[in-house]
Amino acid sequence: MAKKQKKKQQSGGTPATVALTAAGVEFTVHAYEHDPSHPSYGEEAAEAMGVSPDRVFKTLVADVDGALTVAVVPVAGSLDLKALASAVGGKRAAMADPVLAERTAGYVRGGISPLGQRKRLPTVVDASATDHATICVSAGRRGMEVELSPADLAALTAAVLSPIARG
């Protein structure tokens, strides 16, 4: 079961929670026991927290015309690569090499957060995020999510809001 706690200051936090705290943004950390055998990190998070999969967003790293770009989409759907490329003024997009994505973001796959990345990348958040008062994204560690307002996520990542999800 997920533990829920309000965080204003967190010692030993992830770069994502440290960035949120430094920005003075209100957020909630949800921690749960990660099951390495689960086939989907995002669906596992939604199930463990008892949150609808359309409110839990996964962070994907894509290559758009040679530039790494972050896409944040609901775990209930998938990323439309053509829509992502269009959202950032590009022509072609493909999923980034996982090792390059991990090294650039500073997080491991399944724990990549759109917040507090080692190198700030252009970010696009699916427009459906604004349908919810709060959404959950990775806190930078498998088994840990942060819940925050879509507006705060967009502001902190300088994200473009665009319909980039399918399904």
Side-chain angles (χ1 to χ4, degrees):
M1 201 72 209
K3 285 190 266 181
K4 182 178 176 181
Q5 36 185 317
K6 263 302 193 220
K7 292 288 183 179
K8 280 290 184 190
Q9 189 68 23
Q10 178 176 346
S11 60
T14 66
T17 60
V18 169
L20 287 165
T21 300
V25 169
E26 188 173 315
F27 65 100
T28 303
V29 172
H30 298 271
Y32 57 92
E33 192 64 39
H34 167 61
D35 176 4
S37 69
H38 201 289
S40 166
Y41 297 114
E43 289 174 11
E44 176 192 23
E47 291 166 9
M49 295 185 304
V51 174
S52 172
D54 63 342
R55 279 192 51 230
V56 179
F57 283 62
K58 56 189 168 187
T59 305
L60 304 170
V61 181
D63 179 316
V64 179
D65 297 337
L68 292 181
T69 303
V70 173
V72 184
V73 297
V75 302
S78 61
L79 172 62
D80 180 334
L81 289 165
K82 188 172 181 167
L84 174 65
S86 178
V88 294
K91 294 193 184 302
R92 295 187 43 152
M95 294 308 298
D97 173 70
V99 173
L100 179 60
E102 288 179 339
R103 187 172 51 238
T104 303
Y107 295 114
V108 297
R109 201 165 44 111
I112 294 179
S113 177
L115 300 156
Q117 294 183 353
R118 181 177 292 146
K119 180 180 179 192
R120 189 173 186 152
L121 299 171
T123 302
V124 181
V125 176
D126 185 65
S128 69
T130 61
D131 295 344
H132 310 284
T134 61
I135 61 170
C136 298
V137 297
S138 176
R141 186 178 303 149
R142 293 174 186 155
M144 183 186 279
E145 297 278 312
V146 290
E147 182 177 353
L148 74 164
S149 78
D152 285 338
L153 176 63
L156 290 172
T157 59
V160 171
L161 290 167
S162 185
I164 59 167
R166 285 187 290 204

